[in-house]
Amino acid sequence: MAEKRTAYTSTLICTVGTSLLSNLRRAERDPDRANPIKLVKELQALDQSEKLLGAEINSNHSIMAQGRLSEPEKLFLCVSETADGLLSGRLLERFYAAQFAQTQAITIEGLQTEDPRRFRDHGLRNLVRTIADIVRQERARGREPLINATGGFKAQISFAGLVGQVLEVPVFYQFESFRDVIELPPLPISFSFDYWLDHFEQLNALSQDLVPEAEVRPGLEEVLLLREEGLCCLSSLGELFHRGYLERFRRNKVNLLPPPAAASGTERKIGDQIKDKHHGRHKGLDLYLERLLREAGYITQISTVFYDRALSKQNRFFVSSKCEANQIEGWYSEGKELTKFICTTTARSAGERQAAIVDLTERFIT
């Protein structure tokens, strides 16, 4: 049964610029020299729609005035890796300390103004990762977050809109001439869940580490990749695509995975091959396979097919040439040993088998 979530919204994710600092400096109230505690108290005494307070406070106030935060509990401030960004984050943390139970300023590494390439390749990618991680942890606690994309660099606004579309999170923005925020409509961009499933293993590897170009399989869209000096990782858009659909999978996997073997009365076992000459040689293997059979209810049988005591590889699950239509190959490697095995599943389609690969990778490797 799918996890039931609480309906109310209590978490706000806010991209942060420097409009508060700019306004204070124009008003000759230098935030760099002022006593921060005294300055924040003076700001808290103002109406939060006052323009002096800047885009972030004005737009957050409008979101709350519209009743979109029924119980303000957590505020995450995504600030740039600049001196003004860090100062803005500290002032806003103090400003909202009494309004939210928890306020946290998070520095997004790479969001800076000195190196455009670093901004594009790393800053925006880290922004996507940060927001995706917050959304995941809040949903795990039964909270559905909102995104306020009013503050910060213009590119942040675009990416926040994409994040909202892929993660299915409402995104708000307040234009400079508007009194109130508006909810941004879905962007005219199509993402394919089936494409993500088919390329999951490669996307997951590229998200976690640099991969040699020679190991990147043909078929991945170039817009998803960042290539540099013979190595590859996901681009900012690629990170968004992967994290977004991974979150969708987590929320809907009960409807995507193969049916439980118990429902069909199928006998579940570790095959006789585990008793052959490999048996007992690979430390930890028996416990690992037993756990797979116990916890992945759609696996009906596991059989070892290869053992090498001097070969070390990363653990993985994938479709190999050894697999029949409902089978998945797995690798178990500890130290300098490698055992390969075949999992027979109850998968009735290629989509269910791919969903099982994602689930096994998430639960037993990642």
Side-chain angles (χ1 to χ4, degrees):
M1 182 179 293
E3 179 185 355
K4 189 174 181 179
R5 292 184 174 83
T6 308
Y8 70 80
T9 298
S10 61
T11 300
L12 180 59
I13 303 167
C14 181
T15 59
V16 174
T18 58
S19 63
L20 172 60
L21 301 188
S22 299
N23 291 349
L24 290 172
R25 287 165 181 158
R26 280 195 294 268
E28 298 183 353
R29 301 172 69 174
D30 190 347
D32 300 287
R33 299 176 180 270
N35 180 317
I37 297 175
K38 181 180 178 182
L39 176 60
V40 167
K41 285 184 178 179
E42 292 172 355
L43 298 178
Q44 288 172 330
L46 300 175
D47 188 300
Q48 290 191 21
S49 62
E50 172 63 49
K51 291 295 182 183
L52 175 70
L53 295 177
E56 294 79 13
I57 295 175
N58 293 166
S59 53
N60 286 342
H61 172 67
S62 179
I63 288 173
M64 288 184 276
Q66 291 181 19
R68 299 307 297 260
L69 279 178
S70 58
E71 187 178 325
E73 187 170 336
K74 288 189 177 183
L75 174 63
F76 295 94
L77 302 161
C78 298
V79 306
S80 63
E81 190 186 17
T82 63
D84 277 356
L86 297 174
L87 177 56
S88 295
R90 290 195 297 269
L91 289 176
L92 290 172
E93 271 188 320
R94 290 191 175 101
F95 183 89
Y96 283 112
Q99 200 164 349
F100 286 81
Q102 177 185 337
T103 304
Q104 181 181 358
I106 303 172
T107 304
I108 309 300
E109 294 184 7
L111 280 188
Q112 38 71 57
T113 57
E114 297 177 357
D115 185 344
R117 188 174 181 181
R118 184 165 176 256
F119 179 97
R120 181 197 67 189
D121 295 343
H122 301 288
L124 292 176
R125 188 178 184 216
N126 288 332
L127 177 67
V128 170
R129 284 182 163 185
T130 298
I131 294 178
D133 287 343
I134 293 171
V135 170
R136 183 188 180 192
Q137 73 183 31
E138 291 304 293
R139 281 177 169 162
R141 293 170 172 82
R143 306 185 186 99
E144 285 294 328
L146 303 178
I147 296 173
N148 179 4
T150 303
F153 300 105
K154 290 182 179 179
Q156 285 178 264
I157 298 166
S158 300
F159 265 79
L162 284 169
V163 170
Q165 177 166 323
V166 177
L167 297 181
E168 299 176 306
V169 177
V171 179
F172 292 85
Y173 180 78
Q174 185 169 356
F175 291 93
E176 191 171 352
S177 59
F178 289 9
R179 289 192 57 186
D180 299 310
V181 294
I182 61 169
E183 184 172 354
L184 296 179
L187 297 174
I189 295 177
S190 176
F191 292 96
S192 168
F193 185 76
D194 290 339
Y195 180 90
W196 176 79
L197 270 181
D198 290 341
H199 295 85
F200 166 78
E201 189 188 14
Q202 185 82 89
L203 290 166
N204 199 52
L206 288 163
S207 176
Q208 294 183 17
D209 204 352
L210 294 171
V211 175
E213 281 189 321
E215 296 179 13
V216 177
R217 297 194 309 269
L220 276 182
E221 297 288 344
E222 278 299 314
V223 72
L224 302 176
L225 300 174
L226 175 62
R227 299 179 184 270
E228 190 170 332
E229 299 181 357
L231 298 173
C232 279
C233 66
L234 292 184
S235 65
S236 302
L237 187 60
E239 193 69 41
L240 171 57
F241 176 75
H242 177 58
R243 293 290 184 114
Y245 276 106
L246 184 56
E247 178 62 20
R248 286 195 184 187
F249 173 83
R250 289 166 177 156
R251 298 179 73 193
N252 298 293
K253 71 176 184 178
V254 68
N255 300 314
L256 299 169
L257 291 174
S264 61
T266 305
E267 182 184 2
R268 307 175 68 225
K269 61 181 180 178
I270 297 176
D272 291 338
Q273 285 176 283
I274 196 63
K275 306 294 186 186
D276 64 13
K277 62 182 179 180
H278 307 155
H279 182 59
R281 287 181 134 191
H282 196 163
K283 184 178 180 181
L285 175 66
D286 288 359
L287 291 176
Y288 185 72
L289 297 185
E290 288 166 5
R291 183 183 166 214
L292 280 175
L293 196 66
R294 181 174 65 251
E295 297 182 17
Y298 45 80
I299 294 178
T300 60
Q301 182 170 318
I302 304 174
S303 298
T304 57
V305 294
F306 174 87
Y307 171 76
D308 191 315
R309 63 179 301 177
L311 188 61
S312 179
K313 295 284 187 179
Q314 288 188 334
N315 291 3
R316 62 185 293 207
F317 294 96
F318 65 108
V319 175
S320 72
S321 58
K322 304 183 187 75
C323 296
E324 297 180 4
N326 64 341
Q327 292 181 330
I328 296 168
E329 181 167 334
W331 290 4
Y332 177 75
S333 185
E334 289 292 333
K336 295 182 179 180
E337 297 176 278
L338 171 66
T339 296
K340 299 180 181 181
F341 54 91
I342 298 294
C343 299
T344 302
T345 75
T346 59
R348 299 162 296 186
S349 66
E352 286 188 348
R353 179 168 66 172
Q354 285 299 125
I357 290 173
V358 178
D359 182 55
L360 291 170
T361 302
E362 279 268 276
R363 293 167 60 190
F364 298 95
I365 297 178
T366 302

